[in-house]
Amino acid sequence: MSALAADIPALGGGRLALLGTGTVGTAFVQRYQALHARGLELPSVQWLANSRTALAIDRDLALPLELARRAPRDGQNSPPWASTEGLERGDVVVDATASEDVAARHVHWLARGVHVVTANKLGRGAQLARAQAIAERCADTGARYGDSATVGAGLPLLSSLRALVAGGDHIHAIEGVLSGSLAWLFHRYDGQSPFSAAVRDALAAGYTEPDPRVDLSGEDVRRKLLILARSSGLALDAAHVQVEPLVPAALADVPLAEALAGLEQLDAPLQARWQQAHAQGRVLRFVGRVDAGGAQVGLRELPADHPLAQGAGTDNRVAIHSDRYRQQPLLIQGPGAGAEVTAAALLDDVLRIAG
């Protein structure tokens, strides 16, 4: 399956192709420019692309970024980045999108010896076959896959898991508050004001996706849990994760405007859950967990002193139970959402590869 390390040609420090000009892509450009201004040696950005246009970069990044963000949609079938020519062995693709089309090409780039750095969870957090193919292509070609930004916005979650496994530790369970937006919502919700009002506040503050059902469905947490499980050596299939969505079935498939207008359908069920938890001195948290018994994503009632009940704001909080951490889990906590911390994680992976 894989070549011996001695047979793999060296991958030199290459050029960058940035895919995605949304909030994360924009934050990546801003951080790149700030680090460059401080004199840090960085690979040069040669291409900048989104689903509407692909631009070659000379020196300045600000103008191409603005042009790409303003580019009109032309209805073409194949996005421009798919036909961008010139990527060579040792170059780095930075995927700052949430696109299935882009994630589907990760394996193709790795097979050519092109490194991939990504915040896109659909690479290793979707089909098991794709996650396995990514690992195989990295082993075959020596290309590297930087995915620190996919879970916890760059918190040392994946690196810690992989280090434990590499050191011979056995992971028994991983559980955590893995969504910054849902963490914020359940830290804020007090059972008195409507939950729908908190969702609208989170949407206005930019904590949720433009369609908050992406967060409320639990799908984002499922993808992160899959990445964590697979990083611990567990070949978990997406279909084996049981998800309890917060979105009522009546709102799941309607147009966004209709869903936003109907958010009050969340209020009564969640108030009942909050009152039940509160009467027992417990709190509500949206948790993903994987262990030998299976994998679940959903709302849990936790004791107030539970490791996952702490934190504030958009904090992610993850507990790792293993042979080494049998009596007390390893806890990792920190900001789990935000374009700036996600962009920083992307650049950290770029620098590790370039170095």
Side-chain angles (χ1 to χ4, degrees), residues 65-229:
L65 176 65
E66 186 64 24
L67 291 173
R69 288 174 64 88
R70 293 185 179 184
R73 297 187 182 277
D74 58 12
Q76 60 183 355
N77 293 324
S78 178
W81 51 260
S83 58
T84 297
E85 299 178 357
L87 284 175
E88 300 174 351
R89 184 177 180 83
D91 289 339
V92 183
V93 171
V94 178
D95 179 1
T97 78
S99 167
E100 163 64 24
D101 289 338
V102 178
R105 294 185 66 82
H106 289 183
V107 172
H108 167 73
W109 287 317
L110 293 167
R112 292 169 51 195
V114 176
H115 307 294
V116 176
V117 169
T118 182
N120 188 341
K121 291 177 279 293
L122 295 174
R124 295 187 64 247
Q127 306 97 317
L128 178 59
R130 179 181 294 168
Q132 292 172 330
I134 285 171
E136 291 168 359
R137 294 297 84 73
C138 287
D140 289 341
T141 67
R144 296 173 66 182
Y145 193 77
D147 58 355
S148 300
T150 59
V151 183
L155 292 175
L157 292 171
L158 299 178
S159 59
S160 297
L161 271 174
R162 289 165 180 157
L164 290 174
V165 173
D169 201 1
H170 176 67
I171 308 299
H172 298 288
I174 306 167
E175 59 180 349
V177 175
L178 298 170
S179 165
S181 58
L182 293 176
W184 187 89
L185 283 167
F186 285 105
H187 285 136
R188 181 183 180 89
Y189 182 56
D190 60 3
Q192 309 305 311
S193 301
F195 188 78
S196 57
V199 173
R200 291 192 174 98
D201 288 344
L203 177 61
Y207 293 142
T208 71
E209 296 292 331
D211 184 344
R213 290 175 296 181
V214 174
D215 305 279
L216 298 170
S217 70
E219 182 59 29
D220 178 67
V221 174
R222 187 212 312 245
R223 292 168 183 167
K224 293 174 180 176
L225 189 65
L226 285 169
I227 294 170
L228 289 169

Side-chain angles (χ1 to χ4, degrees), residues 156-346:
L157 292 171
L158 299 178
S159 59
S160 297
L161 271 174
R162 289 165 180 157
L164 290 174
V165 173
D169 201 1
H170 176 67
I171 308 299
H172 298 288
I174 306 167
E175 59 180 349
V177 175
L178 298 170
S179 165
S181 58
L182 293 176
W184 187 89
L185 283 167
F186 285 105
H187 285 136
R188 181 183 180 89
Y189 182 56
D190 60 3
Q192 309 305 311
S193 301
F195 188 78
S196 57
V199 173
R200 291 192 174 98
D201 288 344
L203 177 61
Y207 293 142
T208 71
E209 296 292 331
D211 184 344
R213 290 175 296 181
V214 174
D215 305 279
L216 298 170
S217 70
E219 182 59 29
D220 178 67
V221 174
R222 187 212 312 245
R223 292 168 183 167
K224 293 174 180 176
L225 189 65
L226 285 169
I227 294 170
L228 289 169
R230 292 165 180 174
S231 297
S232 70
L234 181 61
L236 184 64
D237 190 87
H240 296 152
V241 183
Q242 299 178 2
V243 179
E244 174 199 356
L246 297 177
V247 181
L251 298 181
D253 298 316
V254 300
L256 175 58
E258 186 176 340
L260 293 176
L263 285 176
E264 279 72 19
Q265 294 183 42
L266 296 164
D267 294 340
L270 281 166
Q271 185 180 41
R273 289 291 299 270
W274 184 91
Q275 289 176 337
Q276 176 180 302
H278 185 67
Q280 301 176 27
R282 294 173 172 254
V283 297
L284 295 178
R285 295 292 183 265
F286 198 86
V287 174
R289 178 182 171 92
V290 60
D291 56 28
Q296 307 85 32
V297 169
L299 201 58
R300 286 175 55 187
E301 300 175 11
L302 301 176
D305 61 352
H306 190 281
L308 302 184
Q310 311 305 310
T314 62
D315 277 2
N316 281 188
R317 192 170 175 88
V318 178
I320 300 171
H321 304 260
S322 70
D323 286 346
R324 186 181 303 183
Y325 298 101
R326 187 181 297 273
Q327 300 301 321
Q328 185 175 356
L330 171 64
L331 292 176
I332 301 174
Q333 176 183 334
E340 290 76 16
V341 289
T342 303
L346 288 171

